[in-house]
Amino acid sequence: MGNQKIIGALPGEHNLQDYDKACREFSFEMLAREFYGNAGKINIVHRVIDHNIERGRGDRMALYYDADDRQASYTFNELNEQVNRFANVLDKYGLQKGDRLAIFLPRSPELYISFLGAAKKGVIVVPMFEAFMKDAVRERLLSSGAQALVTNAELLSRVPRQELPDLRAVLITQGAGDAQTLDWYSEVAGASPRTEFCWVNREDPLFILYAAGADGRPKGLVHVHDMMLGLWATAAWVHDLKEDDVYWCTADPGWITGIAYGFWAPWLHGVPVLVKGGRFDAEQWCRALEKYRVSVWYSAPTAFRMIIAAGKEVYGRYDLGRLRHILSVGEPLTDDVMQWSLETLGVPIYDTWWMSETGMNMICNLRCLNIKMGSIGRPVPGIQAAVVDDEGNELPPYRIGNLAVRAGWPAMARDVWGNREKYEEYFRLKPWFISGDAAYMDEDGYFYFQGRVDGVINTAGERVGPWEVEEKLREHPAVQDAGVAGKPDKIRGEIIKAYVVLQPGYEWSHALGEELRNFVKTGLAAHAAPREFAVKESIPKTPDGKVDRKVLRGWVLELGK
Ligand code: WTA
């Protein structure tokens, strides 16, 4: 039933003093009145840029970019100018409110500038993780019907342009494009540094993020400008951001964390963010923490474990004394990681539970609460969570069931793009949003995460849909059928294990395993490639013909012993 040890009240300033009072008295509608006043129309970009400039923070740093071959920084004023220029480029190519701009870039300043420039014009952004290969890219561009794309020359080769009739403008930030593409820099340089806002409604779309489900194609979750309320509140209460903080959220903006907390949430508080280019590297990450004097750090257990594994001779060389606290997301925060942080860095790690669908931190170890080890914490004020059975009845403490949230919070995804039915499945047990996670609650209202119920895989904090991987494997001539599941792993949380039924005439070999792994890697995405395979006679199916994820779960757990 989880470790009940209480670390005790932690020192420090608290934005949120009295949790119970806040839960009783706070509502997001109250916050909305304070935030929006009588303004009928809003725009999140106004709040993250103009509002900071109006408060005299225009010359303060907004973005530090750090990669091996490039360092750059932007104040809010400088960011504003770039954002305006890019917004005008979108105008020039005829993009209007409600049109879609896909962004397929590695972490780089152009990614953030393009995102904000689009949002300023009411254009909906479709972020795509840079590791996606052709199938995943095609799927997202076709589904969203994106009219424009920002990418670089290298990634452009994964964009099947001839199959995308809606795509009419492609902007290249790096490397040579071709006769059909535009150069991002010369377009931006040639555009005016001033522009008008497109004022939108609270419910107007801001971005569409494709997230894996257990069965079927990834779902285009539609997030709206109103999410700023939830991001502002959680940045204050959960992340405890203060104006002189330097904040580093290590997630890529191809995932929800890298969007919501990568830049929106900190900029809503005028706090500068660090964006680190390149891949994970324990030493470089520690160096970045020291160099940029990071005071609040948001990352994932896999990264912490990799830094711990790199050893004291790596992290011990850097002065991480600026850190006020750390936050964690995406996978269970294990006791050993928490102990390491307390003992070595002298700061606690606050766990945050949420998902692409929720758009904001939902159940957290808030700074004003005691941390119970093993627990994801309690709901953020304004959020009502419960554990419910398969009929939607609330379960008493310690009973494991569906982790559910009462529908209607500001950052909740408002739709699945082009598929209302899929969206409504989340709310099949009204008034609850059903997360797909299992959990139980203790008598003090703390929640304990117990894994996914639906077969969605979480490898190194990255969400992978088994169905997409299975579809890809079935395309290979040697594979007749495939079933994929997450197998528990000490470092990565889960790894992807694939069960395959071979076509007649094929025999299993190590080489075939490598070939299949590569096939998924180059067709779909590296993080979606199975690390383990097993050959089976058949794949278990449910009566409606879907892979039986419960049986597969049993297989991986048994073999995982
Ligand atoms: C898992 C990431 C354990 C969970 C923000 C959820 C967690 C899925 C935690 C969403 C946590 C998220 N402890 N597991 N603190 N936070 N998860 O959409 O299974 O990429 O359903 O959003 O990550 O993944 P997603």
Side-chain angles (χ1 to χ4, degrees):
M1 282 283 126
N3 185 339
Q4 300 291 305
K5 194 166 75 183
I6 293 175
I7 287 187
L10 293 151
E13 284 178 75
H14 298 184
N15 277 319
L16 184 68
Q17 300 279 358
D18 187 336
Y19 175 78
D20 293 316
K21 185 165 183 273
C23 287
R24 276 193 314 273
E25 296 176 3
F26 173 79
S27 78
F28 281 106
E29 268 321 295
M30 270 166 53
L31 187 61
R33 282 195 292 277
E34 219 171 282
F35 241 71
Y36 305 142
N38 295 324
K41 297 272 185 177
I42 62 161
N43 191 307
I44 190 173
V45 178
H46 184 262
R47 195 77 199 190
V48 301
I49 294 191
D50 302 63
H51 183 70
N52 285 318
I53 293 173
E54 285 160 15
R55 290 194 305 144
R57 295 180 69 81
D59 290 326
R60 302 286 284 268
M61 215 44 91
L63 172 68
Y64 295 103
Y65 179 71
D66 187 296
D68 282 349
D69 52 355
R70 180 177 173 197
Q71 274 96 38
S73 60
Y74 296 78
T75 63
F76 283 100
N77 280 330
E78 288 164 346
L79 189 63
N80 191 35
E81 184 187 320
Q82 293 291 310
V83 165
N84 286 346
R85 288 177 187 275
F86 183 76
N88 287 329
V89 173
L90 292 179
D91 270 349
K92 175 176 165 192
Y93 291 99
L95 267 87
Q96 293 176 350
K97 177 171 184 265
D99 287 346
R100 274 83 58 210
L101 169 77
I103 303 181
F104 185 34
L105 282 179
R107 290 184 297 284
S108 54
E110 294 72 30
L111 189 164
Y112 299 87
I113 293 164
S114 305
F115 207 130
L116 266 66
K120 186 159 188 172
K121 290 292 175 185
V123 169
I124 308 167
V125 172
V126 182
M128 298 196 295
F129 185 40
E130 62 161 315
F132 287 143
M133 303 306 284
K134 208 173 230 166
D135 287 2
V137 171
R138 178 195 296 109
E139 170 76 41
R140 283 156 179 83
L141 290 174
L142 270 178
S143 161
S144 64
Q147 291 90 348
L149 167 71
V150 178
T151 188
N152 65 25
E154 189 193 336
L155 296 178
L156 183 65
S157 63
R158 304 184 202 157
V159 181
R161 280 183 285 172
Q162 60 294 349
E163 298 172 48
L164 302 164
D166 296 326
L167 190 61
R168 53 171 200 261
V170 177
L171 290 130
I172 301 292
T173 64
Q174 205 186 9
D178 56 35
Q180 274 82 50
T181 62
L182 304 160
D183 179 52
W184 192 94
Y185 288 101
S186 39
E187 291 292 334
V188 164
S192 160
R194 268 175 293 280
T195 195
E196 293 297 316
F197 267 99
C198 169
W199 298 106
V200 302
N201 295 316
R202 288 169 65 178
E203 297 295 308
D204 278 331
L206 174 61
F207 62 91
I208 305 170
L209 179 70
Y210 284 81
D215 283 290
R217 303 180 183 291
K219 295 176 267 194
L221 300 167
V222 179
H223 282 287
V224 301
H225 282 251
D226 203 35
M227 83 186 301
M228 75 175 97
L229 296 178
L231 296 181
W232 185 88
T234 49
W237 300 340
V238 181
H239 299 249
D240 189 43
L241 293 189
K242 305 270 190 273
E243 291 200 334
D244 43 11
D245 274 319
V246 176
Y247 182 74
W248 184 21
C249 165
T250 61
D252 188 276
W255 304 99
I256 191 70
T257 309
I259 301 170
Y261 296 91
F263 56 103
W264 292 126
W267 286 346
L268 283 167
H269 288 267
V271 168
V273 302
L274 168 63
V275 171
K276 181 121 188 57
R279 292 176 159 273
F280 172 83
D281 178 279
E283 171 128 31
Q284 292 214 15
W285 277 32
C286 293
R287 186 181 298 141
L289 286 168
E290 177 187 270
K291 180 173 169 193
Y292 292 93
R293 304 160 75 86
V294 173
S295 55
V296 180
W297 183 30
Y298 196 19
S299 196
T302 294
F304 303 136
R305 282 191 288 267
M306 286 171 148
I307 290 173
I308 296 171
K312 197 174 169 70
E313 57 280 20
V314 171
Y315 58 76
R317 274 212 300 277
Y318 298 94
D319 175 10
L320 310 183
R322 278 265 151 178
L323 280 174
R324 288 202 295 125
H325 55 261
I326 303 175
L327 299 109
S328 173
V329 63
E331 346 150 35
L333 176 63
T334 41
D335 292 6
D336 53 323
V337 173
M338 177 65 123
Q339 288 305 345
W340 169 79
S341 182
L342 285 170
E343 283 160 22
T344 317
L345 308 178
V347 296
I349 305 182
Y350 296 98
D351 199 3
T352 65
W353 176 88
W354 60 299
M355 7 178 4
S356 302
E357 286 83 347
T358 71
M360 63 185 265
N361 297 162
M362 301 299 274
I363 301 179
C364 305
N365 277 305
L366 290 147
R367 280 175 60 88
C368 63
L369 293 174
N370 291 331
I371 293 177
K372 287 197 195 189
M373 296 282 259
S375 164
I376 52 177
R378 298 184 67 184
V380 166
I383 301 295
Q384 282 174 285
V387 177
V388 303
D389 66 15
D390 290 340
E391 274 80 50
N393 307 303
E394 283 185 58
L395 292 171
Y398 297 107
R399 289 272 304 280
I400 295 177
N402 300 295
L403 179 50
V405 183
R406 189 177 288 268
W409 64 93
M412 179 175 94
R414 297 299 201 278
D415 202 357
V416 170
W417 187 258
N419 196 342
R420 192 73 197 170
E421 227 171 87
K422 270 271 171 237
Y423 182 71
E424 277 160 9
E425 278 176 22
Y426 289 116
F427 303 96
R428 61 191 180 274
L429 303 175
K430 287 200 167 53
W432 302 110
F433 158 81
I434 301 298
S435 67
D437 284 354
Y440 70 86
M441 198 179 73
D442 69 14
E443 66 279 1
D444 297 326
Y446 283 73
F447 287 78
Y448 297 78
F449 172 81
Q450 300 290 295
R452 289 286 304 191
V453 260
D454 60 2
V456 168
I457 301 165
N458 190 339
T459 176
E462 294 177 334
R463 181 167 159 177
V464 176
W467 183 90
E468 272 186 293
V469 182
E470 289 158 0
E471 281 285 295
K472 189 73 211 167
L473 286 169
R474 286 187 204 110
E475 274 175 33
H476 191 278
V479 178
Q480 191 177 75
D481 201 359
V484 163
K487 178 180 162 179
D489 180 81
K490 278 209 175 67
I491 294 273
R492 291 184 167 78
E494 283 183 327
I495 55 159
I496 300 175
K497 173 142 190 178
Y499 298 94
V500 291
V501 179
L502 294 179
Q503 290 284 9
Y506 282 90
E507 256 186 52
W508 185 254
S509 65
H510 178 71
L512 180 56
E514 282 303 297
E515 191 180 317
L516 291 180
R517 181 170 154 70
N518 233 353
F519 189 66
V520 179
K521 216 175 178 172
T522 52
L524 199 57
H527 61 274
R531 283 178 181 263
E532 278 185 25
F533 287 91
V535 177
K536 289 277 172 185
E537 299 272 295
S538 66
I539 300 297
K541 296 284 163 70
T542 60
D544 58 351
K546 290 179 180 161
V547 173
D548 191 331
R549 310 237 164 257
K550 280 209 178 100
V551 177
L552 247 56
R553 185 88 195 131
W555 284 1
V556 277
L557 290 182
E558 206 168 70
L559 295 171
K561 268 184 193 159

